[in-house]
Amino acid sequence: MRKPVVSEAFIYMRTIILNMDGEFYDMHVACDDIDMIKELGFKGACTFSDREPKHLEGFDVFRGIEIEASNMADLKRVALVRKNFDVVLVNAREIDILRKAVRVKDVDVVHVGTKEGVIDHIIAKDASANKTFIEFRLSDMLNFYANHRARIFRNLVFNAKMIKKYSTPFVITSGAREKWELRGVGELIAFAVALGFQPNEAKAGLQRLSELIKIRKSKGYVADGIIVEDKK
């Protein structure tokens, strides 16, 4: 019986993942299996479910809302819901809405949901200037096959290049709507590396947004970059 062939790339990725330390977060899950998310190696998650999430000791749970935006009326909903959620994500369906969404200060994350599926240098620069995260969602690929999946992958690779060029913040997520779509830390890091990110960049894609949200929820927070210390 022939022994299975293990590629050098697989060994390389496995070594990198096993040697990575830190706390990792899946910042977009729409299913309610918090136990499984914790078992997959995450320190916390942002849930986009309508139901109240289960709370586990030692596991951080944030609340998020995804706004499908095809016009300005949809985008105006952001101001109405901002105070009720830790993360406001806009799924931009039109390119002009995508351009506007990255400039809205109350938008934390933008998902590229346009038919083109790509960002340009203007969007990348504006998102960088406004510290708006661009989402790379693994479930976008899991739910399609053959040529459609290949096109999505090419678009994500292109977007990754633009983001790296303009130092735009980004977040790597599973985007899981069902339990079977959940993935572990290692798989999301491997997904990011496949798109062209370096391992340390992929790691940041599972950490930076959660770090920002924790700062916002901390005592004394006033605005991004402004924290009032209690001297008592």
Side-chain angles (χ1 to χ4, degrees):
M1 184 176 179
R2 296 178 61 184
K3 293 182 178 180
V5 177
V6 180
S7 69
E8 291 183 5
F10 175 83
I11 296 173
Y12 171 70
M13 276 305 305
R14 180 175 172 79
T15 301
I16 288 174
I17 292 167
L18 288 175
N19 287 304
M20 277 194 168
D21 56 355
E23 297 177 347
F24 302 98
Y25 290 71
D26 188 342
M27 294 299 287
H28 188 169
V29 293
C31 64
D32 299 310
D33 201 332
I34 299 299
D35 292 281
M36 184 172 179
I37 299 170
K38 185 176 181 180
E39 289 176 6
L40 287 170
F42 293 98
K43 176 66 170 58
C46 184
T47 67
F48 286 73
S49 171
D50 292 333
R51 288 180 286 187
E52 182 67 24
K54 178 179 179 180
H55 291 273
L56 298 176
E57 185 177 351
F59 189 85
D60 299 325
V61 177
F62 307 124
R63 296 300 305 276
I65 184 171
E66 179 173 358
I67 297 175
E68 297 271 346
S70 300
N71 51 54
M72 283 304 298
D74 294 333
L75 203 54
K76 288 178 180 178
R77 287 185 57 208
V78 171
L80 300 177
V81 302
R82 169 73 275 182
K83 66 179 181 179
N84 299 321
F85 295 91
D86 299 312
V87 175
V88 175
L89 184 155
V90 169
N91 190 342
R93 293 300 188 180
E94 300 294 337
I95 191 68
D96 60 326
I97 296 301
L98 177 58
R99 293 185 191 281
K100 289 180 173 66
V102 297
R103 300 188 190 122
V104 177
K105 69 179 182 65
D106 285 332
V107 173
D108 299 307
V109 183
V110 170
H111 181 73
V112 184
T114 63
K115 62 181 179 181
E116 297 84 3
V118 294
I119 61 175
D120 57 24
H121 68 286
I122 297 174
I123 294 170
K125 287 198 291 186
D126 283 346
S128 180
N130 289 285
K131 297 181 174 60
T132 305
F133 287 72
I134 301 297
E135 181 187 29
F136 289 84
R137 189 185 298 180
L138 179 57
S139 63
D140 284 349
M141 291 187 57
L142 295 180
N143 293 318
F144 294 98
Y145 300 93
N147 292 338
H148 198 167
R149 178 181 285 184
R151 183 175 66 82
I152 291 172
F153 181 74
R154 286 195 300 270
N155 289 343
L156 293 175
V157 169
F158 178 84
N159 290 344
K161 289 179 180 177
M162 296 298 291
I163 278 173
K164 287 164 67 75
K165 183 175 181 179
Y166 295 101
S167 300
T168 307
F170 68 96
V171 58
I172 304 295
T173 74
S174 69
R177 289 170 292 184
E178 304 290 343
K179 182 176 179 177
W180 67 269
E181 292 181 326
L182 290 170
R183 293 296 185 272
V185 172
E187 290 165 294
L188 291 188
I189 289 176
F191 167 57
V193 171
L195 298 181
F197 292 107
Q198 294 299 313
N200 63 314
E201 294 172 326
K203 178 180 177 181
L206 294 174
Q207 295 178 323
R208 287 180 63 189
L209 178 58
S210 62
E211 290 169 353
L212 174 61
I213 302 306
K214 284 190 282 187
I215 290 172
R216 287 181 181 173
K217 291 170 73 70
S218 64
K219 185 178 180 180
Y221 173 83
V222 177
D224 288 350
I226 303 175
I227 297 177
V228 177
E229 295 184 3
D230 187 355
K231 296 183 178 180
K232 292 182 180 181

